[in-house]
Amino acid sequence: SSDLGGVVNIITPEPTDQFKAGFRVGIGNYDLRETSIYVSGPISDNVRFRLSGDGLDRDGYVLNSFDGERIDDARRWGMRAALDADVGDVTAKLKFFYRRNRFKGPSYDPIDANFPFPPGTFDLDPYRIVANSPYGARQRAVGGTLRLEARVSDAITLVSQSNYMDYKFNIDVYDGDGTAVDLFNVTRIDASKSFSQEFNIIGESSRADWVIGAYYLRDRIRQDNLTATPGFAALGRSEE
């Protein structure tokens, strides 16, 4: 690989030639409930499919003593779909995914234990906070890939791979100081859209194997952060 930091390659299960299905349920602490299901098999002699879905629901493991709410919980679900088709010497692989997550967080300990917070407005326990602002965040990701492989001869294969992803991460509000003092609150919006296209010509011979390729990538990224700091002046600190 030419990537200096290395590559993490996640390979999802492929559609199968025979019918298969499965279901899994899990439970855990903090009232964790987790489920997943899949079904896979042939549609015809040349077309195969796979559908899967999963969901997770867990209470928060951080207690906000200010209002009694549990923070850093998890409410997420998602699905994947895959379709493989063989048409002559051409193989097509289409994949689609959708994921959504809602949670209250992130939670933070007080920004500085030496800061002159009034007594009872903070808690240094890592599993407790005393935050006077609500928490709410949302994540959503949707995308897919299309891979085409054409065997033009015994030695030459043409490959095209198209990828697209639309991602959004919204923090409606969170208490940036992690205390009952109204120092600063944060609202954040992250959004990105990514498209890539790759073409490869792959050759094989008794002497050497070779690849000629071209790659195109376009990213559109938006990041908005709004920090309100109403409490610094009351404590004699600047809004830095």
Side-chain angles (χ1 to χ4, degrees):
S1 171
S2 61
D3 295 273
L4 297 178
V7 174
V8 177
N9 193 14
I10 301 176
I11 301 175
T12 57
E14 300 287 341
T16 55
D17 294 324
Q18 297 180 344
F19 181 80
K20 294 182 179 181
F23 181 81
R24 183 172 65 88
V25 177
I27 58 174
N29 58 350
Y30 298 102
D31 202 21
L32 170 69
R33 299 179 299 278
E34 185 177 11
T35 60
S36 64
I37 187 172
Y38 80 91
V39 59
S40 178
I43 298 177
S44 66
D45 292 340
N46 300 324
V47 181
R48 302 163 297 281
F49 81 99
R50 180 184 176 90
L51 293 174
S52 63
D54 63 271
L56 183 145
D57 191 299
R58 174 181 54 77
D59 291 341
Y61 55 85
V62 175
L63 175 63
N64 186 0
S65 301
F66 187 86
D67 56 14
E69 279 197 312
R70 287 282 180 178
I71 310 299
D72 284 333
D73 58 347
R75 306 283 186 273
R76 64 175 180 258
W77 65 275
M79 60 86 64
R80 289 181 178 272
L83 189 70
D84 289 0
D86 302 318
V87 183
D89 294 327
V90 178
T91 298
K93 295 178 178 290
L94 178 63
K95 294 183 178 181
F96 169 83
F97 69 90
Y98 180 89
R99 301 204 66 82
R100 181 176 288 274
N101 184 18
R102 290 179 176 270
F103 60 96
K104 298 175 182 178
S107 63
Y108 295 100
D109 284 332
I111 53 177
D112 186 351
N114 296 318
F115 200 89
F117 294 115
T121 61
F122 66 96
D123 195 329
L124 297 180
D125 187 320
Y127 296 101
R128 287 179 177 269
I129 59 174
V130 187
N132 64 325
S133 295
Y135 290 83
R138 296 165 290 152
Q139 286 178 311
R140 190 218 67 187
V142 58
T145 66
L146 174 62
R147 182 179 178 88
L148 301 174
E149 295 186 17
R151 191 79 173 180
V152 297
S153 70
D154 292 338
I156 301 295
T157 301
L158 304 180
V159 179
S160 168
Q161 173 126 354
S162 307
N163 305 283
Y164 176 79
M165 187 172 75
D166 186 341
Y167 173 77
K168 291 183 178 179
F169 177 33
N170 291 358
I171 297 180
D172 298 324
V173 63
Y174 76 88
D175 194 314
D177 54 88
T179 72
V181 180
D182 197 15
L183 287 184
F184 67 94
N185 303 317
V186 179
T187 299
R188 175 179 172 183
I189 298 176
D190 290 351
S192 65
K193 293 183 179 181
S194 176
F195 172 78
S196 66
Q197 177 63 55
E198 184 174 3
F199 295 104
N200 287 324
I201 304 175
I202 303 174
E204 303 174 5
S205 68
S206 58
R207 293 185 177 183
D209 297 336
W210 50 270
V211 177
I212 298 175
Y215 181 77
Y216 170 80
L217 171 65
R218 181 180 181 183
D219 285 329
R220 299 178 62 184
I221 300 174
R222 172 192 173 191
Q223 291 183 327
D224 295 328
N225 290 274
L226 175 62
T227 302
T229 58
F232 278 97
L235 293 174
R237 297 296 182 94
S238 62
E239 300 182 6
E240 297 179 346

